């Protein structure tokens, strides 16, 4: 089955700096890569996703890049704000299959 | 108000007892999932169902059971065979099998006492 690894497990940045979280996956058949944000005590919510036919996707301060050859994808958050503090999960999925999640990254943005 | 609802939010169980966690969605989603969340281990799939009256085991199905008699409902039973049931349980749904956004419930924290 698919194996998703996520790094780092914790990340602290100063407000206004950028944050990068990286994930690798093992199954080349995976074709959908979402990122979820889970604030303390709340449910995970999708913040951005990318499909295997696209190399990069942006949504305001958030971007995701995908390297299919190397089987890794990354989340980039620019101009970080305190409200970006949360746990972020990456995931990989194939058509008709379940999502395989990474172990999560706890991001702290220091004001 | 559309969404996915889990109940209860907190649940306490005595050792040796079965307990059922509720998950209901009014999004008209075909697929539903149960995940277990433990510190440092991310979300691990217990069971999933892509259609009524059908479900598949995930990576950690031992000690759990599910049913999918209605499209809207996907209850999870934690049986006494689950050796370490204390955890945070999340239910999710997706529109279909086409790899779309998963919507999560607010979770149930189960504690064995």
């Amino acid at each position: 089955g698919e194996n998703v690894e996520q790094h780092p497990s914790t990340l602290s940045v100063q407000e206004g700096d950028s944050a990068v979280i990286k994930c690798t996956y093992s199954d080349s058949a995976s074709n959908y890569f979402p990122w979820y944000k889970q604030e303390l005590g709340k449910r995970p919510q999708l913040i951005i996703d990318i499909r295997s036919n696209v190399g990069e996707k942006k949504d305001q301060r958030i971007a995701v890049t995908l390297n299919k050859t190397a089987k890794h994808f990354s989340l980039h958050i620019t101009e970080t704000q305190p409200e970006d503090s949360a746990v972020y999960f990456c995931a990989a999925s194939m058509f008709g299959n379940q999502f395989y999640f990474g172990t999560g990254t706890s991001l702290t943005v220091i004001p | 108000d559309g969404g996915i609802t889990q109940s209860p939010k907190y649940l306490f169980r005595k050792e040796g007892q079965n307990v059922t966690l509720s998950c209901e969605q009014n999004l008209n989603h075909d697929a539903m999932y149960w995940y277990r969340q433990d510190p440092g281990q991310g979300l691990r799939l217990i069971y999933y169902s892509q259609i009524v009256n059908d479900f598949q085991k995930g990576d950690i199905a031992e000690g759990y059971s599910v049913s999918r008699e209605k499209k809207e409902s996907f209850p999870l039973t934690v049986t006494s065979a689950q050796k370490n049931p204390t955890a945070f349980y999340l239910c999710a749904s997706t529109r279909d099998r086409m790899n779309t956004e998963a919507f999560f419930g607010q979770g149930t924290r189960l504690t064995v006492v």
Side-chain angles (χ1 to χ4, degrees), chain A residues 36 38 43 51 93 95-96, chain B residues 37 50 97-99 102 104-105:
Chain A
Y36 286 84
Q38 186 178 26
R43 68 190 77 190
R51 299 187 185 273
S93 179
F95 170 76
Chain B
Q37 186 173 20
Q50 294 176 330
R97 301 173 60 180
M98 298 292 289
N99 288 335
F104 285 86

Side-chain angles (χ1 to χ4, degrees), chain A residues 12 21 23 26 39 63 71 74 76 96 107-108:
Chain A
S12 292
I21 302 170
C23 288
S26 60
E39 297 179 26
K71 294 205 281 291
S74 300
H76 305 254
L107 173 65
T108 301

